[in-house]
Amino acid sequence: MYNAFTLGIEEEYMVIDPATRELRSHEQKIVEQAHKVIRDQVKAEFHQAVVEVGTRVCANIHEAREDVGLLRRTIHQIAGELGFSVGASGTHPFSKWEKQLITDHPRYFEIVNEMQDAARSNLIFGMHVHVGMENREMALHIANSVRYFLPHIFALSTNSPFWEGRNTGFKSFRTKVFDKFPRTGIPDFFSSIEEYDNYIKLLVKTNCIDNAKKVWWDLRVHPFFNTVEFRICDVPLTVDDTITLAGLFQAVCAKIYKLRMQNLNFIIYNRALINENKWRASRYGIDGNLIDFGKEMEVNARSLIFELLDFVDDVVDDLGSRDIINATVHILENGTGADKQLRCYDTTHDLVAVTDYIQQQFLAGC
């Protein structure tokens, strides 16, 4: 029933100078060497201190775990051989964006020309999860419904409490940095795929964008693939966290699909309401309250996440992901990446030590 729900995961890693622990340009040397091993599963990013990787199309969550583990090990080994280190965090604890070089590519220069410091300062690291769909119509139906759950899963992913040497007070400051870009955040509801396509065509016609990939929402029907692409998460510290979050996104899609096959649907909530929960998740992670819109009251975030686990419980066995989904409890008990970074800082009062911790966690679980 759920064979269509294939998975693809993209992660962005920071390239670190082992001596200073600052972000450092690798002059695409890591990408060039990695191409020889993992071919098109690695590519350069906007800033030269970033490496992006992507899994193959994975039939299930266990294949995805193997691929993410392989990618992390490969990039770690190649970076080490070239005199670099790598880590996974939504932001670097103290490096300044003003010092970072932009990758020499016409597309990136075009973005800088249009967005200026909003682009130059976008020194952040995210994770994207693609869930395969049988067609674009079903993809849009599922995207409309799963918007409600974005803040719940985002809260579990929070992994960027520091920015340019400061404790920001946010569990995910990465999202605050990215908010400067246009066409970001929670998407609107679209009543049909034709309405969605007409929106994109209007943006292209009026020179707002030149292609649909410049719609950078937290969730989108992918412009070229039959996937729903989840873009809201900070890149997680560890493989375990990455796979747990990917498993949750897949399970929520499968659940909404199951309801649709039974002529049922999950209630559609207004974008403005969902944004209230996203803000709370970015500020407090799993330690704050989210709004239960059905009850019209604040509820502990952990309680709503347990409700989410109950909601998807009847599809996870068919997906073969029960052990992965159950690992959500480990995040709730031990904290998110942001919580762990903050605990390290509370102990050491040293952002260099936090950066060392981020590097140490990169291969945990691989």
Side-chain angles (χ1 to χ4, degrees):
M1 181 179 182
Y2 304 120
N3 291 339
F5 296 111
T6 54
L7 285 164
I9 301 172
E10 299 168 281
E11 292 191 310
E12 296 167 340
Y13 304 142
M14 57 178 67
V15 180
I16 299 169
D17 185 316
T20 66
R21 278 65 151 210
E22 292 266 8
L23 289 175
R24 177 178 163 193
S25 168
H26 62 104
E27 300 173 337
Q28 308 314 328
K29 293 176 183 177
I30 296 174
V31 172
E32 290 168 7
Q33 291 301 311
H35 266 304
K36 300 174 183 178
V37 183
I38 52 177
R39 296 180 175 81
D40 60 351
Q41 288 184 260
V42 61
K43 65 179 183 178
E45 252 296 343
F46 183 86
H47 288 96
Q48 291 187 26
V50 185
V51 172
E52 180 178 331
V53 299
T55 68
R56 301 161 296 164
V57 177
C58 300
N60 54 58
I61 194 66
H62 297 286
E63 277 190 19
R65 182 187 179 86
E66 290 177 9
D67 236 25
V68 173
L70 172 64
L71 292 171
R72 286 202 178 205
R73 290 193 302 272
T74 301
I75 297 301
H76 181 271
Q77 179 181 343
I78 291 172
E81 292 170 351
L82 292 170
F84 302 98
S85 183
V86 285
S89 173
T91 55
H92 187 280
F94 59 87
S95 274
K96 306 290 187 181
W97 64 262
E98 296 92 336
K99 297 180 180 180
Q100 299 307 313
L101 301 175
I102 306 300
T103 299
D104 186 4
H105 192 281
R107 176 172 175 259
Y108 297 138
F109 292 144
E110 177 189 328
I111 291 173
V112 169
N113 184 56
E114 179 186 358
M115 300 191 193
Q116 298 293 309
D117 271 7
R120 297 186 190 98
S121 63
N122 196 51
L123 189 60
I124 56 176
F125 307 83
M127 174 189 70
H128 301 164
V129 176
H130 294 256
V131 181
M133 298 285 141
E134 59 186 24
N135 54 59
R136 296 179 74 243
E137 288 77 11
M138 181 58 71
L140 180 67
H141 170 75
I142 289 176
N144 280 331
S145 296
V146 301
R147 294 178 312 143
Y148 169 77
F149 297 104
L150 290 175
H152 304 57
I153 303 176
F154 168 49
L156 291 162
S157 86
T158 51
N159 188 33
S160 52
F162 301 105
W163 176 251
E164 297 206 327
R166 303 187 305 278
N167 181 351
T168 65
F170 283 79
K171 295 296 180 69
S172 173
F173 197 69
R174 169 189 153 271
T175 52
K176 300 298 103 186
V177 176
F178 197 41
D179 281 348
K180 299 192 295 292
F181 267 47
R183 300 174 297 279
T184 58
I186 305 294
D188 278 322
F189 169 86
F190 289 92
S191 60
S192 67
I193 197 66
E194 290 77 19
E195 181 185 1
Y196 173 78
D197 288 341
N198 286 336
Y199 165 78
I200 298 297
K201 290 174 184 176
L202 178 61
L203 292 186
V204 173
K205 181 179 180 180
T206 55
N207 294 318
C208 297
I209 59 176
D210 56 9
N211 69 83
K213 291 196 74 173
K214 288 186 178 177
V215 174
W216 293 298
W217 293 325
D218 295 331
L219 165 71
R220 69 183 181 187
V221 175
H222 196 275
F224 307 127
F225 309 127
N226 279 354
T227 67
V228 170
E229 182 186 7
F230 296 89
R231 305 169 48 85
I232 195 171
C233 291
D234 292 354
V235 66
L237 272 179
T238 67
V239 171
D240 287 343
D241 287 356
T242 291
I243 296 305
T244 299
L245 297 167
L248 285 169
F249 284 131
Q250 183 193 42
V252 171
C253 288
K255 176 66 176 192
I256 298 300
Y257 177 82
K258 182 176 183 178
L259 291 175
R260 178 61 177 258
M261 294 300 99
Q262 297 169 341
N263 290 318
L264 300 171
N265 195 10
F266 190 80
I267 190 169
I268 300 296
Y269 287 103
N270 185 285
R271 175 178 183 264
L273 291 177
I274 301 170
N275 263 327
E276 294 295 330
N277 271 347
K278 181 189 174 182
W279 195 94
R280 289 168 179 242
S282 68
R283 171 67 176 86
Y284 302 105
I286 58 176
D287 291 325
N289 293 329
L290 298 177
I291 304 167
D292 185 320
F293 298 125
K295 297 177 181 176
E296 298 186 359
M297 62 184 291
E298 291 182 301
V299 178
N300 178 273
R302 285 178 169 81
S303 297
L304 278 184
I305 291 168
F306 275 115
E307 287 187 12
L308 168 60
L309 297 180
D310 289 339
F311 178 68
V312 301
D313 186 72
D314 60 341
V315 301
V316 295
D317 286 328
D318 288 336
L319 291 169
S321 61
R322 180 165 296 279
D323 56 333
I324 301 296
I325 299 300
N326 286 347
T328 305
V329 176
H330 297 314
I331 301 177
L332 294 173
E333 291 176 345
N334 300 316
T336 68
D339 297 322
K340 293 173 181 178
Q341 288 193 46
L342 289 165
R343 285 201 295 267
C344 179
Y345 184 72
D346 288 342
T347 301
T348 64
H349 304 289
D350 184 359
L351 289 177
V352 170
V354 175
T355 308
D356 287 343
Y357 176 75
I358 291 168
Q359 295 171 85
Q360 292 160 9
Q361 291 297 299
F362 188 73
L363 292 185
C366 286

